Amino acid sequence: MHIPSGNTDQLTLVTFEEALAASETPSDDYDVKKWIYAPNFYSEYRYLLGTRGKNPLICIGINPSTAEPDHLDNTLKSVERIAVGNGYDSFLMFNVYAQRATKPDAMERTCNPLLHQENLKAFRYILSISQKPAVWAAWGAIVEKRDYLPLCLADMLDAGREYGAQWLCAGPISKKGHPHHPLYLKKEEKLRPFDIEAYLKMMIGETT
């Protein structure tokens, strides 16, 4: 379990640029040639966790929990299965909001703009890795937990346009239009196109 110790605006944040540079530093805890982990230590927030490759599947959740390199939780184990089953050589787990919380109800009530901006830098970085980045929308109904989450997603959509991102989903779409969470999906589940623009028009209309 990870329960936030307080709001992230009380923290001195490691910038994504600093975290990315540190992720290249050899570690006694995991193989940096296999894993990318930023920050490269367990903290109250996480920008990025995944494996290194030339053709990654970028999976988008709502917020990170306890997973670390070589210690994936059940959600990330499922993400890895789906990535392999759909022909990708690696996966990158990214989140709409970077604050760690095992239970999304524990996320801070107000968006920390500095954390969000650093998180967007992380997103632009992982989009830049591929010529045509594949982005798996995989957040489920958890996006309804905070009003700021769809707005953060809108910024991610803008970044995705810059890099020609292809948005995908897997599993059944909910009655409210939310893409399915990765948990419990079988490795045979195939990714298919997801209309992120229509989805966000619906979501942001509901929160304003």
Side-chain angles (χ1 to χ4, degrees):
M1 293 285 290
H2 185 100
I3 301 172
S5 61
N7 289 342
T8 59
D9 60 7
Q10 300 170 353
L11 304 173
T12 300
L13 297 177
V14 175
T15 67
F16 175 68
E17 184 177 357
E18 293 167 338
L20 181 63
S23 74
E24 305 282 350
T25 304
S27 171
D28 293 332
D29 298 323
Y30 64 94
D31 182 358
V32 298
K33 292 182 180 180
K34 175 183 177 182
W35 294 98
I36 180 168
Y37 184 40
N40 65 341
F41 56 89
Y42 193 91
S43 67
E44 288 288 317
Y45 56 96
R46 189 187 76 210
Y47 299 125
L48 181 60
L49 171 61
T51 51
R52 298 182 186 274
K54 295 182 178 180
N55 183 33
L57 175 62
I58 302 167
C59 181
I60 309 296
I62 287 299
N63 70 298
S65 182
T66 60
E68 300 176 273
D70 295 320
H71 299 284
L72 301 182
D73 57 21
N74 288 335
T75 295
L76 268 76
K77 288 176 182 177
S78 184
V79 170
E80 189 170 38
R81 285 197 302 270
I82 297 296
V84 171
N86 281 269
Y88 296 91
D89 68 357
S90 53
F91 76 92
L92 295 168
M93 188 70 211
F94 183 77
N95 291 279
V96 178
Y97 199 63
Q99 185 187 31
R100 279 192 198 261
T102 301
K103 294 183 177 180
D105 284 330
M107 279 192 296
E108 53 198 357
R109 295 283 174 181
T110 303
C111 177
N112 178 348
L114 180 57
L115 181 63
H116 174 54
Q117 289 304 314
E118 292 302 322
N119 205 38
L120 276 176
K121 291 177 185 177
F123 188 52
R124 286 191 169 90
Y125 168 75
I126 59 178
L127 289 170
S128 73
I129 292 174
S130 305
Q131 289 187 343
K132 189 174 182 181
V135 181
W136 174 16
W139 49 78
I142 304 170
V143 71
E144 297 181 15
K145 293 291 183 179
R146 297 289 182 266
D147 288 346
Y148 58 77
L149 293 171
L151 301 176
C152 292
L153 264 173
D155 289 339
M156 291 170 58
L157 173 59
D158 288 341
R161 288 193 191 105
E162 295 174 25
Y163 291 88
Q166 177 188 18
W167 288 81
L168 306 166
C169 65
I173 299 294
S174 76
K175 290 182 180 179
K176 289 189 174 181
H178 301 309
H180 199 283
H181 191 275
L183 204 56
Y184 307 126
L185 291 178
K186 296 180 180 180
K187 66 179 181 181
E188 295 82 10
E189 190 74 47
K190 294 304 177 186
L191 294 161
R192 62 186 189 278
F194 180 67
D195 191 343
I196 183 67
E197 300 209 19
Y199 173 79
L200 277 177
K201 285 180 181 177
M202 174 193 70
M203 286 298 297
I204 292 175
E206 288 181 357
T207 58
T208 56

